[in-house]
Amino acid sequence: MELIKVRDYNEMSQKAAEILIGKVKGSEKINFGLATGGTPKGLYEKMIEDHQKNGISYKNVTTFNLDEYAGLSEEDPNSYHYYMNESLFKHIDILKSNTHLPKGISEHLEKECSEYDKMIAENGGIDLQVLGIGQNGHIGFNEPGTSFKSNTHVVKLAESTREANARYFDTIDDVPTHAITMGIASIMKSKEILLLVSGEAKQEAMGKLMHGEVTEEFPASILQKHPRVTIIADQKALSRVLITP
Ligand code: PGA
C-alpha cells in the first residue's frame, strides 16, 4: 500500500481529484468505482470545479457506486443515487446511462446484487475504486464479520454505522437498517484502489489498517493484500499512526 500524507481534508480532496482527472484525460475509456459519505465530497467538488474551468469531458467515464440504502427510492434526498446526482453527476457531462448504483428498491434485491456484479464484469471491471473507511473498518457497507469472499449483497447495517450516518437524517429511526453493498471480493477485483482517510475519528481505523492483522473483523485490512492501493490520509487521521519510512 502506498501512503500519500497530506495536511488536511482540502489537500486530500485536491490530490485525489488530480489522480481521477489524470485518468479521465489519459484514457479512451475508464470505469470508476465511486463512494458516498463525507469523505469523497471534497473530491467531487474539485472535479466539478476543474470541469467548469478546464472543460475536461467525462463522456468516456462509466461509474459504479459501492452501495445504496435498502428501501430508499432514487429521489429520496438521503439515497446515494440522490447524493451522486447532486454532488457530482449533474454538474459534469457524464452520460447518465453510464452511471450505476445498486437499486435500493426492488422486489428481488438478491437478484439485483448478482446482476450488479455481472454488469461490472461485462463492462470490463473497475479500473479505479475510490473508497472511504468506516470507524469500524467497513469498506462500502461491508461491516465487520463480512466474508472476504462476498460479492454484492444485502447487509444489515451495524448500529455504529447507523449512528455515524444519523447526522444526515431527521432521527436515527429514519436511518435504514439494511443496504446493498458491493462485496469485499467485488471491491478487491478493481485494478486499482484509492482510499481516502481524513479526520481524528479515523485515527484508530487508520492504525489498524496500516499495522493490524488481516481479519474479517476489520474488513479494510484485506486491502493489505491488494497489489495496487494508494491511501491519501491527512495529518489528523495519521497523528496516532506509527509510520515507518
Ligand atoms: P464518511 O464515511 O466518509 O462519511 O466518514 C466513510 C464510510 O463509512 O465508509
Side-chain angles (χ1 to χ4, degrees):
M1 298 193 294
E2 184 198 347
L3 176 64
I4 301 176
K5 292 180 253 176
V6 293
R7 207 171 41 246
D8 53 20
Y9 181 81
N10 186 52
E11 205 179 315
M12 176 194 77
S13 305
Q14 185 60 41
K15 276 258 176 317
E18 283 164 18
I19 292 172
L20 268 75
I21 292 164
K23 301 229 179 243
V24 174
K25 287 203 271 191
S27 323
E28 268 182 32
K29 177 183 173 327
I30 185 140
N31 296 343
F32 286 143
L34 297 180
T36 49
T39 305
K41 199 100 198 207
L43 156 66
Y44 300 147
E45 282 165 16
K46 304 276 181 201
M47 288 165 75
I48 294 165
E49 264 171 48
D50 172 80
H51 176 72
Q52 287 168 349
K53 200 160 135 224
N54 301 315
I56 306 302
S57 175
Y58 286 76
K59 292 213 165 107
N60 61 340
V61 179
T62 300
T63 64
F64 298 93
N65 265 76
L66 282 169
D67 44 21
E68 178 58 286
Y69 288 116
L72 297 193
S73 74
E74 298 184 12
E75 293 75 37
D76 190 305
N78 281 310
S79 73
Y80 288 161
H81 278 82
Y82 190 92
Y83 169 109
M84 287 310 302
N85 282 330
E86 294 299 314
S87 308
L88 181 64
F89 297 152
K90 77 176 197 188
H91 304 284
I92 58 176
D93 67 343
I94 195 164
L95 301 173
K96 193 78 201 301
S97 54
N98 285 349
T99 66
H100 308 280
L101 291 94
K103 289 194 181 61
I105 293 190
S106 164
E107 282 186 19
H108 307 285
L109 280 183
E110 300 294 342
K111 190 156 162 256
E112 208 39 68
C113 295
S114 55
E115 281 178 359
Y116 199 66
D117 283 319
K118 216 165 96 198
M119 183 171 56
I120 294 173
E122 283 169 2
N123 274 276
I126 291 172
D127 297 301
L128 177 75
Q129 175 68 56
V130 176
L131 286 183
I133 183 171
Q135 293 175 39
N136 62 2
H138 74 204
I139 45 176
F141 270 137
N142 293 288
E143 302 288 18
T146 306
S147 166
F148 284 157
K149 297 199 182 92
S150 54
N151 293 313
T152 298
H153 61 293
V154 178
V155 289
K156 183 174 187 323
L157 298 175
E159 274 316 293
S160 61
T161 299
R162 294 185 67 238
E163 281 161 21
N165 290 1
R167 64 191 194 275
Y168 299 114
F169 293 79
D170 289 341
T171 73
I172 186 151
D173 294 335
D174 296 327
V175 184
T177 54
H178 290 75
I180 301 182
T181 184
M182 262 189 220
I184 304 273
S186 326
I187 293 172
M188 289 294 279
K189 280 187 196 138
S190 326
K191 298 177 188 93
E192 200 179 337
I193 289 175
L194 180 64
L195 174 67
L196 308 180
V197 196
S198 169
E200 279 161 28
K202 304 291 170 71
Q203 282 173 350
E204 200 182 324
M206 193 65 211
K208 284 192 190 160
L209 173 69
M210 301 296 291
H211 302 297
E213 61 168 322
V214 177
T215 163
E216 288 176 351
E217 291 314 309
F218 192 79
S221 62
I222 192 66
L223 298 178
Q224 294 177 20
K225 303 280 186 199
H226 192 286
R228 284 187 77 190
V229 176
T230 303
I231 304 170
I232 309 180
D234 70 5
Q235 280 174 1
K236 283 190 176 148
L238 287 168
S239 57
R240 277 167 41 195
V241 181
L242 185 70
I243 297 166
T244 42

